[in-house]
Amino acid sequence: MSKQIWARDSAVACHDKSADKFQRFYESDQTPYDSGFSYGRHLISKYFSPVLNELPEGAAILDVGCGTGNHLLELLRLGFQARGIEPSAQMRRHAESKLPQGTVRPGTILKLPFANETFDFVYAIEVLRYLDQDDNKVGLKEVFRVLKPGGIFFGTFVNQYALDGFAIVVGLRKVLEILLKKPRTYHTEFETPGKLAKTFHAIGFRELETHGTMLAMLRICYRVHHPFGGYCARLLEPYDAALSDTPFLRPLAGHLIGIARK
Ligand SMILES: C[S@@+](CC[C@H](N)C(=O)[O-])C[C@H]1O[C@@H](n2cnc3c(N)ncnc32)[C@H](O)[C@@H]1O
């Protein structure tokens, strides 16, 4: 099996296995500071919400890789015409249990089941990181095709140089999996703001804004002790933009966000 196909398949298989865990993440965290997961999502939402404010009333929105459907539920409550696609049957099961029938369909970013120029806004949160570089390009071309002229894409990516050393951890995990002959878990595609700009411009997007959020070392604090992570996150939140979103520090942040306009 080629590396590309393995990445595609494992992206779905690992989420079939972890769907219940994802649902628990969304259900159990009472405040945004309870886990690295919820704090990361809380900071991402600070860039996501202003994009929603730019959209026309009742805008057509697509959530690509919508997972358990929690974001879609919120967008429907806000009055948007929101739909999702999700290739993992187990993730879809959770999404379908909370959303009106027909909101979510099976599908992949590699072949979006929609006509050209259908959506005002398309987003993919923590999705493209599981696909290899060539599939990232195919997927983003599909996003470009289904966006209306002037439409907006919002995506999150994994920073190659995130300060928690995640790229090193992934490299070591890969070596161990090979040495111990364990099945490989899933692919992680690493990006930099510069690499993203080249990809988006080559596809034809008019503009790309990148942002860094979450001081990556906070993930280590959460691993040491959740309440300690929460304490540090609360303390550093007012400074997060200064620590993660200046041009020099952006490539080192815990989450890399891309906001592109067609
Ligand atoms: C980390 S989860 C994120 C789910 C959701 N976006 C969220 O933020 O809660 C990644 C999701 O991407 C989905 N996925 C994997 N491969 C995909 C593909 N080729 N096209 C679209 N989604 C995919 C997975 O099944 C999974 O639900």
Side-chain angles (χ1 to χ4, degrees):
M1 187 192 294
S2 76
K3 193 176 148 238
Q4 183 180 33
I5 303 294
W6 167 75
R8 275 182 208 172
D9 292 351
S10 61
V12 180
C14 78
H15 287 99
D16 268 335
K17 276 196 202 137
S18 59
D20 292 347
K21 193 176 89 185
F22 265 95
Q23 183 55 41
R24 278 197 302 276
F25 272 140
Y26 278 111
E27 272 168 4
S28 62
D29 288 342
Q30 304 295 313
T31 79
Y33 309 99
D34 289 355
S35 69
F37 176 87
S38 56
Y39 185 59
R41 298 306 168 105
H42 166 65
L43 292 178
I44 288 170
S45 74
K46 293 189 181 187
Y47 292 93
F48 191 80
S49 303
V51 177
L52 293 183
N53 293 337
E54 277 185 48
L55 299 176
E57 208 175 307
I61 300 183
L62 177 64
D63 183 337
V64 177
C66 65
T68 55
N70 291 62
H71 300 293
L72 278 173
L73 188 64
E74 188 54 33
L75 293 184
L76 290 174
R77 280 199 191 119
L78 292 171
F80 292 110
Q81 286 177 52
R83 281 180 278 177
I85 60 130
E86 172 51 56
S88 148
Q90 295 308 318
M91 285 291 212
R92 264 196 329 271
R93 181 172 56 82
H94 283 294
E96 283 162 357
S97 72
K98 58 180 80 104
L99 296 166
Q101 209 183 352
T103 308
V104 177
R105 341 181 167 173
T108 162
I109 193 168
L110 302 170
K111 198 169 191 310
L112 292 173
F114 300 101
N116 295 353
E117 302 184 1
T118 303
F119 297 99
D120 298 288
F121 179 43
V122 176
Y123 64 94
I125 297 183
E126 296 295 272
V127 173
L128 284 159
R129 57 175 286 175
Y130 294 99
L131 300 176
D132 82 348
Q133 197 179 9
D134 289 340
D135 274 353
N136 265 265
K137 288 181 188 156
V138 174
L140 288 169
K141 277 185 193 159
E142 274 294 274
V143 167
F144 188 82
R145 179 182 68 75
V146 302
L147 274 175
K148 294 177 186 172
I152 305 174
F153 171 72
F154 182 104
T156 63
F157 302 88
V158 181
N159 251 335
Q160 171 113 43
Y161 303 109
L163 277 180
D164 56 350
F166 186 55
I168 298 171
V169 173
V170 169
L172 286 175
R173 192 180 66 198
K174 204 161 137 183
V175 171
L176 279 180
E177 284 167 351
I178 293 169
L179 286 178
L180 302 175
K181 297 198 170 82
K182 282 193 157 193
R184 297 276 319 278
T185 40
Y186 55 82
H187 172 77
T188 303
E189 186 65 27
F190 291 100
E191 296 286 355
T192 63
K195 214 167 111 193
L196 274 188
K198 276 192 198 138
T199 306
F200 277 83
H201 289 136
I203 289 168
F205 282 95
R206 188 163 51 81
E207 228 177 78
L208 173 76
E209 239 176 78
T210 53
H211 295 285
T213 57
M214 188 167 175
L215 184 67
M217 262 106 68
L218 282 173
R219 291 211 182 94
I220 300 173
C221 301
Y222 273 108
R223 277 193 188 275
V224 171
H225 188 47
H226 270 204
F228 176 62
Y231 171 79
C232 297
R234 277 194 171 87
L235 203 70
L236 292 174
E237 187 177 4
Y239 313 104
D240 192 70
L243 293 169
S244 311
D245 200 28
T246 57
F248 178 66
L249 293 173
R250 193 170 297 146
L252 315 180
H255 283 288
L256 178 61
I257 293 172
I259 304 173
R261 287 156 212 279
K262 181 171 174 180

